[in-house]
Amino acid sequence: EPDNDCDACKEVSAGRCIDLIEMDAASHTGVDNVREAIVEHVRFLPARWKRKIYVIDECHMLSASAWNALLKTLEEPPEYAVFILATTELHKVPATIVSRCQRFEFKRIQPDAMAGRLRHLAEDEGLRVADDVIAAIVSSADGYVRDAESLLDQIASLGEKKITRE
């Protein structure tokens, strides 16, 4: 868990961590994008921290040639490099890549945990949200934190401090 207090956490939260490289593969699908963002730069040591983290979001969108360009780097990464390949469609990631990765499958958040998170967020924003409203948000979000937080944010944007079903 991040402590949100150390320099590394503060840099990541502020978007200033140069040792954290994020690539949206849905927008950058080609081999040139992978070479430019990762393959050519992975040989450089981390600038500030012990590790250099590469996050490739929506990695299933990469082209076959992009995967081929990345394969050698994934097979023999420098000891300081960590790659995080995020996808909602694992079946579209080549088997040669999947076989070289540790796999962590994230599941939907349980309703009680989601409700607790929403109550915490509401409290931080100075909102008093009725339990039935929290339950409705949890039900509508169907286990997806981003959806639940977005719904709470929409309700908060109405400007009311006490939120009831009415």
Side-chain angles (χ1 to χ4, degrees), residues 118 121-122 127 129 137 147-157:
L118 293 174
L121 291 173
L127 301 174
V129 183
I137 293 171
D147 292 350
E149 290 180 357
S150 178
L151 289 168
L152 181 63
D153 192 42
Q154 289 174 39
I155 291 169
S157 73

Side-chain angles (χ1 to χ4, degrees), residues 67 71 75 90-101 103:
W67 280 119
L71 184 59
E75 285 179 324
L90 185 62
H91 63 280
K92 292 184 178 180
V93 177
T96 54
I97 300 296
V98 174
S99 69
R100 288 161 172 82
C101 297
R103 188 166 136 189

Side-chain angles (χ1 to χ4, degrees), residues 105-124:
E105 289 193 36
F106 296 97
K107 306 217 181 309
R108 294 178 182 171
I109 303 299
Q110 294 299 311
D112 288 346
M114 178 86 71
R117 171 79 177 152
L118 293 174
R119 284 188 190 93
H120 174 75
L121 291 173
E123 183 180 307
D124 283 354

Side-chain angles (χ1 to χ4, degrees), residues 19-76:
D19 291 329
L20 172 64
I21 297 91
E22 296 180 76
M23 182 179 145
D24 176 17
S27 306
H28 302 89
T29 62
V31 65
D32 291 335
N33 301 120
V34 168
R35 282 193 184 122
E36 182 180 322
I38 299 169
V39 176
E40 296 297 322
H41 292 99
V42 76
R43 68 177 181 253
F44 299 112
L45 291 170
R48 183 154 157 81
W49 304 111
K50 183 179 176 182
R51 304 251 184 255
K52 201 170 197 176
I53 310 296
Y54 294 86
V55 178
I56 306 173
D57 194 19
E58 301 292 339
C59 70
H60 63 273
M61 300 293 286
L62 290 175
S63 67
S65 56
W67 280 119
N68 287 334
L70 190 56
L71 184 59
K72 178 73 171 164
T73 303
L74 291 177
E75 285 179 324
E76 299 173 15

